[in-house]
Amino acid sequence: MNDGLPPGRCPEGSRPIGKDTGADPPVHPHTQTCGEGNGQTGAGGEPIASLSDSASGHRDTGAAAAGKGSERLSAGTILSPWRMAGLPPRTPVLLALSGGADSRVLLHLLSACAGRDGFSILLAHVHHGIRGAEADRDAAFCRSLAERYGWELEMLEADVPGLAKERRRGLEETAREVRYEFFERLMRERGIPLLATAHHADDQLETMLFRLCRGSGLGGLCGIAPVRAFAGGFLTRPLLPFPRREILACCEREGLTYVADSTNLDPSYARNRLRLRVVPELEAVAPDPQGGAYRLSRSLAQDRDYLDRAAEAFLSERLRQGALPVEALRREHSAIRRRALAALSPVSLDAAHLESMEALALEGKSGSSCSLPGGMRACVQTGWLWVLPDLRGPVLREPVPLREGSFAICDGLLTVCVRKLENLGSDRKVHNLSTPRYIIVNENSDIMLGKGFWRCRQEGDALTVRGVHRRLRRLLREAGVPPVLRDALPLLCDRDGILWVPFVGARDGYDAAAANRTDGSGACYRVELLLHSGADPQQKGQR
């Protein structure tokens, strides 16, 4: 019997010693970690990202037949991770190895692919410090596999129960975080752009069933992604089209031993109940629910990708200074409108928050607002919908000189940035020297020679715009700047008064005067105000 090893490696030839009844439970829909099981619950997966097959270079050829359960699992019927991600054949792979049947088969088949395609494999195993002697056995088994196949193994021993208490998170969630923090670190340190995990068609079915029961939207019902961005590279699932029964049959054919996780038979875990009780009933009324779920996932992913692209086009056309016009939102179909609103928020929104935000847009009442997670607030002002952080902390109490560099106010939620332009290019045109978003200044101008400074807004502030001396309060209101932001805005001033106001623009005459300097000698600087979300980036999932 040929164990599929590259030349010079020994076939195993021993019989199966156990059964591994699943991979990993789906991660939270707004986290970015994913992968193979920690031995706690089994059924796996996490939401597919907006990285579509065409966007990632993934061509899932042959997968539809495999999803029907009609194709035998072998090194010739799975796609190599490099092909799934659209990378060169010799691209190295990090393989998540638990020692269960799924990752055991993946190791066996990818080792054969490596001999054919010329890529290397680094194995990674995590001992979570949860299952005692059984976990010790799994770690020892993975070491023996690494020696047998001739691949290097990186192993992490973690105290997941202790970390769960420290992080105030659940045991399984912490185990996933630890595992994929480890995988990401290895990929970045070793320069490995591909991660392969052993999710399969049964995991896809269980994930979709679980999300259906939770009332997930289209994105959640797409289930597990065959390939997605991860750690600066890609995470791939070469076994995803194949049902669990074919994985076990492959173990039987090839004489592959594997370890079994006893907790996968524990019905106290929700996904175990789905696997042990619900799926067998489905199989009694449908010949291949796993293949049906796989095909449905692919179909739904196509619809999702189309709607996502439509929403991106809407944002590209309508988004101005971080806000969306209420009237344009009203005219859009709800499917596009909701996607645009979700994209506008720097934190992930549940259905209730998204409905509140949509109602806010449909009503369009100036001054209305609703609270969002992460200390954010959606607000409507003069026909524009914004999502802004709760601006806390001190604003400018004393004038600050204009100089190269940056400084932050409101606890880092607003940042003034002054950076040198290496190549001014089209910014030398007069009409580009100031906009509501930025202003261009020359190093030889008075404001860069000690005359320019920042200060906070004061009572009676005014600005000459289009020949009219107007109150700043009215200009900010007409520009749609929400009240929560108005009082915190730093104003760029010189000896003649206010020169430039973020979201409003520069006073009359600045462009013409500045053009004389930017066309001459001296470096130019771009001055702008950056608005930060104030939210943890991990709160928002990959789109």
Side-chain angles (χ1 to χ4, degrees), residues 20 36-37 96-101 103-104 124-125 131 138-139 141-142 259:
D20 175 17
E36 193 174 350
L97 183 66
S98 70
S103 64
R104 177 68 179 90
H125 177 80
R131 292 182 291 119
D138 295 352
F141 181 66
C142 289
V259 294

Side-chain angles (χ1 to χ4, degrees), residues 49-72:
S50 62
L51 184 66
S52 64
D53 289 354
S54 59
S56 67
H58 169 47
R59 298 175 60 88
D60 203 0
T61 56
K68 297 177 182 178
S70 61
E71 189 157 4
R72 174 180 270 197

